[in-house]
Amino acid sequence: MRRGGGPQKVKLMHSSLPHTKALWEFCKLFCQCSRTGLPKVCWIPGAAGVLVGHPFDTVKVRLQVQNVNKPMYRGTFHCFQSIIRQESMLGLYKGIGSPMMGLTFINAIVFGVQGNTMRMLGRDTPLNQFLAGASAGAIQCVICCPVELAKTRMQMQGTGEKKSKRKMYKNSLDCLVRIYNKEGIRGINRGMVTTLVRETPGFGVYFLAYDVLTRSLGCEPEDPYMIPKLLFAGGMSGIASWLSTYPVDVIKSRLQADGVGGVYQYNGIMDCVRQSIQKEGWRVFTRGLTSTLLRAFPVNATTFATVTLFLMYMREGGECSIPDSEPPSVQLQPLQTQTQPTSM
């Protein structure tokens, strides 16, 4: 129920901060403060991660979808060199507008759904962390799939050309509009099934790995090595998540890049898998993996550490102004032992 009058104040009380329960409580705060400037603060680490990681993602996509009969790149380092030499540094940032546009929505969905699912499940256990993460990963595919489609198409546009002679798309938004006008809703959701298969277990492993690692490392506020531990846990969680579903990502990239230039090569998921294995063998499912892992550790380390430390800062006396919302006050209780059910 909404109440009239001025904005309510949510006072965040200081408490201890072990492992992933910090993220759980952060999810609640994120949802409650969605009308204030808080999401902008939460957007910063994600945006920084995109800026740092996008060149690695461009290399990953180029390696995943290049023609095996006429390969342009011999490996990760050669791909970096070739893109910079042929397309300048800006070539590494092709398609960055799409993930930047979807970043806020995806973060809001992931943290909101994960937090609400954990509250519904009632206990903070590794299995529930996996289930909550998987739920969040599945639902955010609604945004993630079109975003990655536009990103992939932009990354493949003008390959090997400093100035494209003929640009199919002006930018990421124009890309989605053109695909929609030509192919409709089905077109902008190309690769949805593979995205769902990748993101659902991927996010489950993501939150599960972070929960297990932070429990094992004992990430407590009094620990002088807490920040390195959070960085390590976040980075390794990202690597574990990618390793668990990477073969699916290869197929997703190939399906979403298919049709660039008007030439379609695959009739569906199974046809893509069959052709890929037939032409390149099982090693096809590791194409671009080096670039992915190089990107995964720093990006996810900074994201998880920033989220957790931001919550700690807010607890130490920060205030969040929430207009026309309930409840009028929220107090985060000190977290007890890991085996006890959460109080939220």
Side-chain angles (χ1 to χ4, degrees), residues 273-292:
V273 172
R274 182 184 58 80
Q275 288 193 44
S276 298
I277 295 175
Q278 194 175 60
K279 294 178 181 178
E280 304 169 59
W282 292 99
R283 289 187 63 185
V284 66
F285 297 118
T286 64
R287 287 194 177 276
L289 182 60
T290 301
S291 174
T292 301

Side-chain angles (χ1 to χ4, degrees), residues 12-295:
L12 306 179
M13 308 303 292
H14 175 73
S15 62
S16 59
L17 186 68
H19 67 275
T20 318
K21 284 191 178 180
L23 288 179
W24 186 351
E25 294 181 355
F26 173 81
C27 300
K28 186 173 183 178
L29 299 178
F30 187 95
C31 296
Q32 289 175 334
C33 297
S34 60
R35 293 188 180 92
T36 70
L38 181 57
K40 296 178 182 178
V41 178
C42 302
W43 179 84
I44 293 173
V50 171
L51 288 171
V52 172
H54 194 79
F56 293 93
D57 187 78
T58 300
V59 170
K60 180 204 75 169
V61 171
R62 294 282 182 94
L63 291 172
Q64 285 177 333
V65 305
Q66 72 172 340
N67 189 335
V68 66
N69 297 320
K70 297 179 181 179
M72 293 185 63
Y73 313 112
R74 296 191 297 270
T76 302
F77 186 66
H78 181 252
C79 186
F80 267 109
Q81 283 184 315
S82 300
I83 293 174
I84 293 172
R85 184 176 64 253
Q86 297 169 357
E87 306 171 43
S88 79
M89 279 293 294
L90 295 177
L92 292 170
Y93 285 93
K94 286 182 177 179
I96 195 173
S98 181
M100 282 293 190
M101 285 191 300
L103 183 64
T104 303
F105 300 104
I106 290 174
N107 281 348
I109 292 171
V110 168
F111 284 109
V113 171
Q114 199 266 351
N116 285 318
T117 305
M118 284 297 294
R119 284 197 294 275
M120 289 174 61
L121 293 173
R123 290 181 63 87
D124 182 16
T125 64
L127 176 60
N128 286 349
Q129 287 288 347
F130 177 85
L131 294 175
S135 300
I139 293 175
Q140 60 93 41
C141 287
V142 177
I143 304 295
C144 177
C145 183
V147 163
E148 295 217 347
L149 174 65
K151 174 187 71 68
T152 301
R153 293 291 179 93
M154 292 297 295
Q155 285 172 326
M156 295 304 299
Q157 181 172 255
T159 299
E161 301 176 358
K162 195 163 189 176
K163 288 187 177 180
S164 301
K165 297 176 182 178
R166 179 177 173 271
K167 286 187 176 181
M168 290 185 63
Y169 314 114
K170 298 177 183 177
N171 49 53
S172 298
L173 185 60
D174 179 64
C175 176
L176 289 175
V177 170
R178 286 176 179 271
I179 292 173
Y180 175 77
N181 290 338
K182 186 177 179 180
E183 304 175 47
I185 293 293
R186 186 174 181 179
I188 62 173
N189 285 294
R190 177 181 294 274
M192 176 62 80
V193 174
T194 47
T195 302
L196 190 65
V197 173
R198 184 194 70 175
E199 298 291 86
T200 302
F203 269 92
V205 171
Y206 193 44
F207 283 96
L208 171 63
Y210 187 72
D211 179 67
V212 171
L213 286 170
T214 48
R215 288 176 189 268
S216 302
L217 295 171
C219 298
E220 300 292 342
E222 298 79 14
D223 189 346
Y225 299 105
M226 184 191 66
I227 292 178
K229 287 180 179 180
L230 289 176
L231 290 171
F232 177 78
M236 293 306 296
S237 300
I239 288 177
S241 175
W242 272 109
L243 287 174
S244 67
T245 58
Y246 191 76
V248 182
D249 184 69
V250 175
I251 300 303
K252 181 199 72 71
S253 295
R254 293 190 169 202
L255 289 173
Q256 290 186 327
D258 195 34
V260 174
V263 180
Y264 290 92
Q265 186 177 353
Y266 308 114
N267 294 323
I269 297 172
M270 294 310 299
D271 182 56
C272 180
V273 172
R274 182 184 58 80
Q275 288 193 44
S276 298
I277 295 175
Q278 194 175 60
K279 294 178 181 178
E280 304 169 59
W282 292 99
R283 289 187 63 185
V284 66
F285 297 118
T286 64
R287 287 194 177 276
L289 182 60
T290 301
S291 174
T292 301
L293 297 183
L294 288 173
R295 165 181 174 261

